[in-house]
Every structure is written in C-alpha cells, then in structure tokens.
Amino acid sequence: MKADTSAKQTYRSEAIIRTAFYRSLGFILVLALGGAGLWYLSRETVEPERIEEAVVSGPIIGTATPLHSPPVVAFTDVTEAAGIDFVHVNGSQGEKLMPEAIGSGVAFLDYDNDADQDLLLVNSTWWSEHPQQPAPTLALYQNDGHGHFSNVTEATGLAITSYGMGVAVGDYDADGWTDVYITALGENILLRNNAGQFVDVTAAAQVSGLESDWSTAATFIDYDNDHDLDLFVGNYVLWSRKLDLEIDFQLTGLGRAIGAPNHFTGTNNRLYRNEGNGLFTDVSHAAGIIVNDPVSGLPQGKALAVAPVDYDNDGWIDLFVANDTVRNFLYHNLGNGHFEEIGALEGVAFDRNGKATGAMGIDAAYFRNTDDLGIGIGNFANEMSSLFVTAEGRAPFADEAILEGFGPASRLALTFGLFFFDYDLDGRLDLFQANGHLESEINVVQPSQTYAQPAQLFWNCGDNCRNRFVHIKEIGDLATPLVGRAAAYADIDADGDLDIVVTQSGRRARLFRNDQQLGNHWLRVAFEEGPGAGVIGARVELTAAGITQRRHVMPTRSYLSQVELPVTFGLGDTVLVDKLTVTWPDGQVQDVPVETVDRVVSVSRAAGH
C-alpha cells in the first residue's frame, strides 16, 4: 500500500512538472512554427521559401508497467473488395476555394431495417462556373450482412446533387424508418425514409435554412424531452465565391491558397423544434442558440462539429460545438426549452494556453470507465488535439491531452474526424483520428507537413500506465496517408469488432476492416424500436469483473459523420456480465438480462415503461 501511495505521489509530481513544461513549450512552438500562418501573409510570386522549423525536445518520461502490451491489430483496406466505388467531387478547378477543402460526410445506418449497417456517403459537386457531367450525387450502399455492399442510390431515390457537407440520421416522424438530413453549402435537405424509399420533404418540414448558409454539423436530438426528435444544425462562416476570390489568399512562393476562417464573419447555428406533425419550427432565438458578440453584434460561431451529451446528468441533453478558430461552445440545456452558452465557464472554450484552436472533429466518452466524461477535439496542424476531462465526474473540464499521452503525438497532424471506440475489445475506449491537410503543396514550404497524412490510433493502456493513450503505428492499411476528413465506425461484417470508414477531400472514400484476432469477448446492444426519440440519448451501462463501462446511444460523432446506432462493449477475457442497464431518455431505468457474451442483445422497452 505504501509503495502504491508513493508511486501515485511521484506520478502526480511528474504530472505537475510536465504540465508546466508543456505550457512553456507551447509558447516556444508558437514562435518557432509561426510559418503555419503562411496562408495569409504574402502576395508576391517568389521562389518557395522553406521554413526552418525548430526541433524542441520534451522531457524524457518513463513508462510504468502497463496492464498489457499494446495489441497487434491490423486494419485492412477492403474498399474495392467490399463494393465501394465512391469518389468525392469537391469541384476544384485550381481556384482554391475554401469549401473545396472541407467536405465530406459519411453515415453508417440501417436504412432498410435488416439489422446490418449500410453506408451513406455525402458528395459535393462542380461549381456552376465549371460544370461537368454527369453530376455527382449522394451514394447509398446496401450491406448484405457480411460486409459486402451494393450501390442502391438510384433505387432508393438518393441520386441527389448538392454541394453536400455533413449528414444526420434519425427517425424524426417515429414511423420506424431512419430518415436522413444532409447539410450543404446552400440549402439543406431532409429526406424521409418511406419503407426504404427516400422522399425530399425539406420544403414541407421547413428545415432548408437559407441559400446563403454554409451548414456543416447536424444532429437529431430530443432537446425538450417530448418524445420526438428535434434538429440542431451547425453553421460555419459567411462565405461567397466572390468574397473568397476578392480576398485572394496567398501561400508564399506558390500563389493562391485555401483561405482561413478568421478572414470570414461567423454565423449562427439553428435549432428546429419537431412539432410532431412532420413540421419543424425554428426556435433558435427563443432557445438561446444565437450567440452574438456584445460589442459588434456579429455572430460568434464557426461550427464544424457537434457532440450531444448530457454532461451534467440532469436528464436534459446538452450540446458541445467545435468552432474553428473561435471559442468552442457548450450549450447547457436548462430543461425549460432554453440553453445557456457556458463553454468558457466550464473549461471547454479554449485550449490549455487559453487560445481558440482550429477545432474540427469532436466526440464525448467515459474513456476511463469512471464518472469522468472526456471531450476529444481534433485541431489544426501544429495544435495538439484537445482532451477535456471532468474531475470526479463534475465540471469544469481541464485539457488533459498531454497528461494522458494523447497530445504530443497529435501535434503535427491536421485532424478532422475523431472518435472514441474499443478497437481491440479489451473494455477500454481507444481514440482514432483521421488526418489530412488543406493545402496540396504544403510540404514545399513547411517540411513537417504533408497533404495526405496517416490516420492515428491511440490505444487506451488503462489506469496503471503513466500515459494512458499510446500511439500505435503498426495498424496495417490504416497507416496509409490519406487526405482524411469524415470518419465513422460500425461492425460491417457481424464479427463483433468495429470497422472504420474515412472520406477524403476530392478522392475515394476508404473502408477499413478490423482484422483483430485477440480472442477478446464482446457484447453488442441493439434496439428493437429503431432510431427514434425513444433511443437516441439513452445511456447504457455494463458491469463485468467489477468495472462499469458507459455508452451514450448517439450516432452523431466525429466530423460531419454518424456512427452506427448499436453500442459495443469489449470484455477482454471476461465471459460473465454482472449487469446491463439501459436508462432511457425519459429517465426510466431497465435491467437487461445477459446470459451469454459474444453476441448481440436486442433491447426493447419493457412493458409499463
């Protein structure tokens, strides 16, 4: 016991030293790597000037004996073999317009109610000034249950063209079929699922937004607990082709480059209340979603991703919004139809140095298997990803990315998609990042950066490791450099482990099969009543071998993405589940019997609930 106490005290002391060091290091890096701001500084055409990047070494930190050695797990690129031939079109014709670098989204969903995960990929299109035929459309692939897909886009009515961005899925009309909402540069689209056939009901539902909008993240949630799904839509910046070309962003020595959001005015997000009759009402102002600067009166948000989660466990779902180059938002649900934005108060608005970051992807999870909630956010190149964590289950949050071993390895990457998942089924949530730069020629002027970048997988080593998250580099085809954007997971082949899809800007989407053969046990929990308001927002807790794992039933995760609705619990070598509990969104608690593991448990609300 004394040895354990001494070790913990030593660890805490080292943590304090490391925190101080890295804060100092941050200031050094800001000065040394100022070349990351090259985008906006020069309009001269000169020979490319390579940046002399400082090499700054961190402290040598020892590693305590881990619970286990990092697992050997390979992900295999099965894109072509699985029948996925989707290619993202961003409309690029050399003009370097900002939207060309941002898309596009992806969703796993069971659109045909056959209990396997289908795949929807969002496409953008050619600019009207440079049209090409055929026009690109959304793409829907039907899963045969074994990880092989067929293109059913035309057959299901989804051959729709827009400058698409993100996607949200949910049964907004409670008919048992998953509906789809597509965000876009321009008006958004609501597609009602009529028994496997999709119908555009945007105008009737009144959720298109404005032609001048640039919408990104979206999510179906029941914010008012009235048993139907409402719709939150995040908007990015006030953009136009004319304004982009007039500003004329330059990369020193290379000419025109992709612009930055800090040269554009922010926008306000929208909240649509479901009236239960197929119609939605815009309640953004009344609900407190509008956030304007008190001095200028201009909108403050530049939303790229949203994580819906009841962070304070008061029974009302809250919204964490990742904003690009301005402070992140936390919309705290007051339970009376109103939200208050308290991101700064609760410690998630800025990074560890008090600065706004280029925040893109976001996810929320109980990655320690305790009451502590973590909020992971992927940031721009030369900015560490953030990992905001509560203390003993209570806010405010503190950014512990460095202390948990996640931050330093994430610094160079430009991260879009990000999510927690248990890839090796050991009962601890790991972290995944999809990376890729905005500028195709960035390596010419910034040697540490490349356009295509390897994804990053961080293994959760557990409580007995000095650094919880260990960067795993031997991950098979998943290490192939990509221009990564959206990322999502699902069990595509019914083998119990989670597979990954990553979209690329202007390139093919890639599907990676998880080929782990570790022998770990697992349990998946699915819901018979489908993805309606009775399921989204539920909390599932599993207790086995004295450890309680927690999952939120929430498809909205990562960046412009939706993951599968069923939840997966890794069990390691445990074969006995002591308790499985579902807390429904209305607060009802239901115990679910589990007789065996390595299977899917199908849950429906018990009679009388």
Side-chain angles (χ1 to χ4, degrees):
M1 180 64 71
K2 291 181 179 179
D4 290 343
T5 301
S6 177
K8 290 179 180 178
Q9 290 174 342
T10 300
Y11 171 74
R12 293 193 184 103
S13 298
E14 291 177 350
I16 293 170
I17 293 170
R18 279 180 287 159
T19 301
F21 174 85
Y22 280 116
R23 285 179 177 172
S24 300
L25 180 60
F27 290 110
I28 296 172
L29 291 174
V30 166
L31 296 174
L33 299 174
L38 282 171
W39 311 99
Y40 325 111
L41 299 180
S42 174
R43 301 188 181 202
E44 300 178 6
T45 302
V46 298
E47 287 299 313
E49 179 182 349
R50 294 175 69 88
I51 297 171
E52 292 297 326
E53 296 180 284
V55 178
V56 183
S57 299
I60 299 174
I61 301 173
T63 302
T65 303
L67 292 173
H68 305 287
S69 297
V72 178
V73 174
F75 285 81
T76 303
D77 187 337
V78 295
T79 310
E80 284 77 19
I84 307 298
D85 57 0
F86 174 84
V87 180
H88 177 243
V89 173
N90 60 19
S92 176
Q93 293 288 324
E95 292 177 305
K96 299 288 185 73
L97 299 174
M98 190 177 177
E100 297 170 359
I102 300 300
S104 66
V106 64
F108 281 113
L109 73 163
D110 183 10
Y111 89 94
D112 51 2
N113 286 352
D114 64 354
D116 54 43
Q117 299 302 310
D118 310 301
L119 182 60
L120 175 66
L121 289 148
V122 180
N123 217 337
S124 302
T125 190
W126 302 103
W127 299 108
S128 58
E129 292 79 5
H130 306 286
Q132 294 189 29
Q133 296 297 328
T137 70
L138 299 172
L140 179 63
Y141 294 88
Q142 184 183 49
N143 192 344
D144 67 357
H146 304 287
H148 300 284
F149 294 83
S150 301
N151 192 321
V152 294
T153 308
E154 292 278 355
T156 56
L158 286 182
I160 296 171
T161 298
S162 71
Y163 205 97
M165 285 285 147
V167 55
V169 300
D171 182 12
Y172 80 91
D173 54 358
D175 65 352
W177 296 85
T178 306
D179 309 301
V180 172
Y181 186 77
I182 302 296
T183 62
L185 178 65
E187 294 186 349
N188 303 321
I189 306 169
L190 178 61
L191 298 158
R192 179 177 176 270
N193 188 343
N194 183 19
Q197 298 290 314
F198 289 90
V199 180
D200 187 339
V201 296
T202 312
Q206 300 179 7
V207 291
S208 66
L210 303 177
E211 181 61 33
S212 59
D213 286 347
W214 182 354
S215 299
T216 50
T219 183
F220 284 104
I221 54 167
D222 184 10
Y223 84 93
D224 50 3
N225 287 357
D226 66 350
H227 306 292
D228 56 30
L229 287 175
D230 311 296
L231 178 63
F232 173 85
V233 181
N235 290 318
Y236 191 30
V237 296
L238 187 62
W239 180 90
S240 71
R241 174 190 178 87
K242 181 176 181 292
L243 180 59
D244 198 329
L245 292 173
E246 285 178 349
I247 294 175
D248 192 24
F249 302 96
Q250 296 284 317
L251 186 61
T252 303
L254 295 179
R256 183 166 169 80
I258 298 295
N262 55 2
H263 286 258
F264 294 90
T265 302
T267 57
N268 274 310
N269 304 315
R270 287 197 173 87
L271 180 65
Y272 297 98
R273 184 181 64 214
N274 190 337
E275 302 297 350
N277 57 0
L279 299 177
F280 289 80
T281 300
D282 187 337
V283 295
S284 307
H285 282 87
I289 297 300
I290 304 301
V291 181
N292 291 328
D293 183 87
V295 177
S296 68
L298 296 174
Q300 289 295 283
K302 298 181 180 181
L304 282 179
V306 58
V309 60
D310 179 9
Y311 83 98
D312 54 356
N313 294 313
D314 64 355
W316 300 90
I317 200 158
D318 311 295
L319 296 165
F320 291 81
V321 177
N323 283 317
D324 192 359
T325 69
V326 296
R327 76 177 194 266
N328 300 317
F329 291 165
L330 168 51
Y331 291 111
H332 177 225
N333 193 335
L334 299 177
N336 57 2
H338 294 79
F339 292 81
E340 57 177 349
E341 198 290 292
I342 56 172
L345 179 67
E346 295 289 47
V348 298
F350 304 102
D351 70 4
R352 65 190 61 79
N353 296 316
K355 297 182 179 180
T357 61
M360 268 92 59
I362 189 171
D363 196 12
Y366 294 95
F367 66 91
R368 291 174 176 165
N369 289 335
T370 67
D371 292 336
D372 285 331
L373 177 67
I375 306 294
I377 298 180
N379 294 318
F380 202 79
N382 297 313
E383 296 175 339
M384 295 182 190
S385 294
S386 302
L387 185 56
F388 299 103
V389 190
T390 58
E392 298 182 352
R394 294 179 178 272
F397 294 77
D399 190 347
E400 300 189 8
I402 292 176
L403 297 181
E404 293 287 20
F406 171 52
S410 69
R411 182 182 64 82
L412 287 180
L414 199 167
T415 300
F416 281 88
L418 175 149
F419 55 72
F420 295 91
F421 75 140
D422 186 359
Y423 77 92
D424 58 345
L425 302 176
D426 65 354
R428 300 186 297 272
L429 286 171
D430 312 298
L431 256 172
F432 174 80
Q433 292 194 156
N435 305 318
H437 213 282
L438 304 182
E439 178 56 55
S440 60
E441 298 177 283
I442 186 63
N443 185 252
V444 174
V445 293
Q446 196 168 352
S448 68
Q449 293 296 314
T450 56
Y451 185 42
Q453 300 180 0
Q456 290 178 298
L457 185 63
F458 294 87
W459 177 58
N460 187 336
C461 187
D463 294 333
N464 290 350
C465 299
R466 192 175 301 277
N467 294 317
R468 178 182 301 273
F469 287 107
V470 179
H471 185 200
I472 306 298
K473 298 182 180 180
E474 298 298 325
I475 50 178
D477 294 337
L478 198 57
T480 303
L482 302 173
V483 187
R485 295 296 184 259
Y489 62 79
D491 180 9
I492 64 171
D493 47 7
D495 64 354
D497 56 34
L498 295 173
D499 312 292
I500 295 174
V501 64
V502 178
T503 69
Q504 299 191 82
S505 177
R507 297 185 179 187
R508 292 185 178 275
R510 309 310 301 184
L511 181 63
F512 298 94
R513 186 184 63 215
N514 186 340
D515 285 335
Q516 65 85 24
Q517 298 291 329
L518 303 173
N520 288 332
H521 300 287
W522 51 273
L523 190 77
R524 284 170 56 79
V525 181
F527 302 91
E528 289 185 1
E529 52 262 77
V535 175
I536 287 181
R539 186 172 70 251
V540 186
E541 297 185 352
L542 179 148
T543 301
I547 297 173
T548 298
Q549 301 181 51
R550 297 168 174 84
R551 302 284 189 273
H552 282 111
V553 183
M554 179 53 63
T556 304
R557 299 178 187 274
S558 188
Y559 172 76
L560 306 180
S561 303
Q562 305 278 284
V563 304
E564 64 173 2
L565 198 69
V567 296
T568 297
F569 293 96
L571 298 173
D573 58 6
T574 301
V575 296
L576 178 65
V577 172
D578 300 319
K579 189 175 184 179
L580 179 66
T581 302
V582 177
T583 302
W584 300 94
D586 61 6
Q588 295 290 338
V589 180
Q590 179 178 343
D591 291 329
V592 179
V594 178
E595 297 178 358
T596 60
V597 298
D598 299 332
R599 67 187 184 95
V600 179
V601 175
S602 187
V603 178
S604 60
R605 188 182 289 263
H609 285 230

